[in-house]
Amino acid sequence: MKRAFMSELAIVRTLVPSIAGVGLFIFVVLTLANASDGDSGMSAGACAVSAMSPIMVMSSLAGFDNQNGWERYRATLPLSRKDIICARYLSIIAFSAVMTCAAALLSIVSIPLFDHTGILALPFFDHTGMPSTGQVVFETTIASTASMLISLMMVFLAQPLFFRFGHMEALRLSVGLFALLGCLAMAALSSSNPISNWLMSIAGANPDPAVLGCLCTGIAVLALVLCALSCIVSTKVYRARDL
């Protein structure tokens, strides 16, 4: 397992510059665009980076396998297919967590750069700057973590497709899958859904750390269960596949 994970990390290191560059660009654009909305808007960039990281690393790793023939070569190594699958999932989770932490930290650090109107305020922490409070730091962290976990759940649903059909076919199928999930999410969060209204009322009426923490914990548990199920399915599919 350790050797399989280290081989995955070696691939991830080659992908870091491109993924980090795209993430930084998106973070800067969304942060500047939403700075006028106050502290809540300042976390938009961090949430976007946190949400896109799992999908980007999943597709990038699959593309590397396809382009370099790594999937066939790896099958000849003294590694069990279960270890290969677990290492892929673990590398996606680890890289996503690092990107989320970096994005949340950048968002928290950038808050004092803007005044209450969203205009860039220099020098740092001058009389118009608004230093971040503990509440803002907590909410930014929770929002970024929740965005990453929701995106990871989408990745866990799509990952077996890559092990079954390969890179190109799985990309086409995953786009349709993500579109379907988006439609289902919009329907679930609509104002006509009583469950959605109940959850929104809880989060809106009680924006305290305990409630937000419980919601994030629930998402984390659901993501963990989905990860385990997805890993089991991927392992069975990968073992049956003729490489």
Side-chain angles (χ1 to χ4, degrees), residues 83-116:
D83 288 345
I84 293 173
I85 296 296
C86 293
R88 174 58 56 91
Y89 277 82
L90 186 58
S91 63
I92 293 174
I93 295 173
F95 185 82
S96 301
V98 171
M99 287 287 289
T100 298
C101 292
L105 182 60
L106 280 176
S107 179
I108 293 169
V109 171
S110 63
I111 290 176
L113 303 182
F114 297 85
D115 61 16
H116 64 283

Side-chain angles (χ1 to χ4, degrees), residues 138-209:
F138 179 79
E139 291 178 356
T140 301
T141 303
I142 288 293
S144 300
T145 303
S147 300
M148 179 196 70
L149 291 172
I150 293 173
S151 182
L152 278 174
M153 286 191 286
M154 297 173 63
V155 166
F156 296 152
L157 290 174
Q159 187 63 68
L161 298 176
F162 287 87
F163 290 115
R164 173 61 181 86
F165 299 104
H167 178 242
M168 297 307 298
E169 184 66 21
L171 276 181
R172 290 190 286 267
L173 294 175
S174 61
V175 170
L177 175 63
F178 292 157
L180 176 61
L181 292 176
C183 293
L184 293 176
M186 293 176 62
L189 297 176
S190 65
S191 57
S192 60
N193 190 337
I195 298 179
S196 174
N197 293 332
W198 177 68
L199 291 175
M200 291 299 181
S201 65
I202 292 177
N206 304 283
D208 56 90

